[in-house]
């Protein structure tokens, strides 16, 4: 009896990959605006696909939240590398922290649901911690080696400061206020300020 060859792993079809990206972008927008009560039907509608397409890609609400969260962590981590090539050390650090604020800003409506979706998922926490710590390490190391910032701050300190700044109450103008505080933080890290 002749054995059939094992199926090779196929890349997703282009329309499937496009639909997945549309769903993730729509989920970011819908969940940010509507919080934990935002409907999956609203996500599918915003993406321009049927609810069945959403469930084929993300079988549960938690799976969709986790994918959005991972995608944002990946984008923020990748941005650190891009900024290292395009901006001076201190400016790269400042721009990266400001983008971190923007990521949090889009999540303000999702925080309660994200907490539930990630509760007990140590692998997700470890993944995000590793990616963000590596990004912060690269940016800080570059600025320290250039002699532009003090060398007594750790990547964990920087991430704690960012998280702390972003806990400002969600009132009109909070982003502007937090961006100003990011500038104060970065300026305080410059050589000669410590």
């Amino acid at each position: 009896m002749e054995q059939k060859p094992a199926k090779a792993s196929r890349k997703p079809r282009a329309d499937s990959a496009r639909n997945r990206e549309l769903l993730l972008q729509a989920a970011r927008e819908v969940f940010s605006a509507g919080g934990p009560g935002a409907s999956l039907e609203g996500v599918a509608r915003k993406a321009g696909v049927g609810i069945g397409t959403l469930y084929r890609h993300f079988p549960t609400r938690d799976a969709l939240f986790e994918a959005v969260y991972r995608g944002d962590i990946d984008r923020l981590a990748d941005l650190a590398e891009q900024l290292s090539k395009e901006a001076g050390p201190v400016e790269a650090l400042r721009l990266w922290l400001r983008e971190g604020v923007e990521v949090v800003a889009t999540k303000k409506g999702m925080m309660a649901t994200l907490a539930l979706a990630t509760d007990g998922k140590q692998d997700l926490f470890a993944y995000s911690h590793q990616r963000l710590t590596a990004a912060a390490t690269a940016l800080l190391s570059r600025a320290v080696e250039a002699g532009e910032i003090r060398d007594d701050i750790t990547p964990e300190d920087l991430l704690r400061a960012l998280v702390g700044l972003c806990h400002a109450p969600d009132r009109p103008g909070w982003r502007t206020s937090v961006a100003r505080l990011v500038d104060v933080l970065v300026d305080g890290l410059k050589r000669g300020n410590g």
Side-chain angles (χ1 to χ4, degrees):
M1 178 177 232
E2 189 176 321
Q3 289 186 351
K4 293 183 180 181
K7 279 189 176 180
S9 179
R10 294 184 349 210
K11 285 185 178 179
R13 292 184 355 217
D15 60 336
S16 179
R18 184 185 68 248
N19 285 343
R20 186 177 196 285
E21 285 308 308
L22 288 170
L23 285 163
L24 289 171
Q25 181 58 38
R28 251 180 230 100
E29 294 172 26
V30 170
F31 293 145
S32 294
S39 76
L40 295 181
E41 289 81 5
V43 171
R45 191 171 35 257
K46 179 121 183 115
V49 300
I51 192 72
T53 299
L54 183 145
Y55 283 118
R56 271 192 299 283
H57 289 280
F58 307 103
T60 66
R61 179 181 286 269
D62 285 357
L64 181 56
F65 277 120
E66 185 174 331
V68 168
Y69 179 78
R70 278 185 188 264
D72 287 344
I73 294 299
D74 288 341
R75 267 190 297 292
L76 193 55
D78 293 344
L79 179 63
E81 186 176 328
Q82 178 186 338
L83 289 171
S84 291
K85 297 172 186 170
E86 297 174 359
V90 172
E91 190 59 16
L93 184 61
R94 182 185 317 274
L95 292 170
W96 187 76
L97 288 169
R98 282 186 173 186
E99 187 58 30
V101 171
E102 289 304 310
V103 167
V104 171
T106 63
K107 298 287 177 279
K108 284 263 188 190
M110 295 173 56
M111 288 302 183
T113 306
L114 277 170
L116 291 173
T118 60
D119 185 40
K121 293 188 177 177
Q122 292 302 322
D123 61 327
L124 185 59
F125 175 78
Y127 175 80
S128 62
H129 182 266
Q130 182 273 327
R131 291 286 320 242
L132 295 179
T133 301
T137 299
L139 290 168
L140 280 172
S141 296
R142 181 172 175 245
V144 167
E145 288 167 13
E148 294 185 23
I149 66 165
R150 29 193 289 187
D151 62 2
D152 62 344
I153 188 165
T154 67
E156 290 80 9
D157 294 336
L158 188 67
L159 292 172
R160 278 188 205 103
L162 178 61
V163 169
L165 292 173
C166 290
H167 276 306
D170 191 9
R171 294 189 182 122
W174 84 266
R175 281 185 191 177
T176 303
S177 175
V178 173
R180 193 170 43 250
L181 292 172
V182 164
D183 288 342
V184 170
L185 171 67
V186 172
D187 291 344
L189 292 174
K190 288 181 182 176
R191 275 263 181 232
N193 290 330

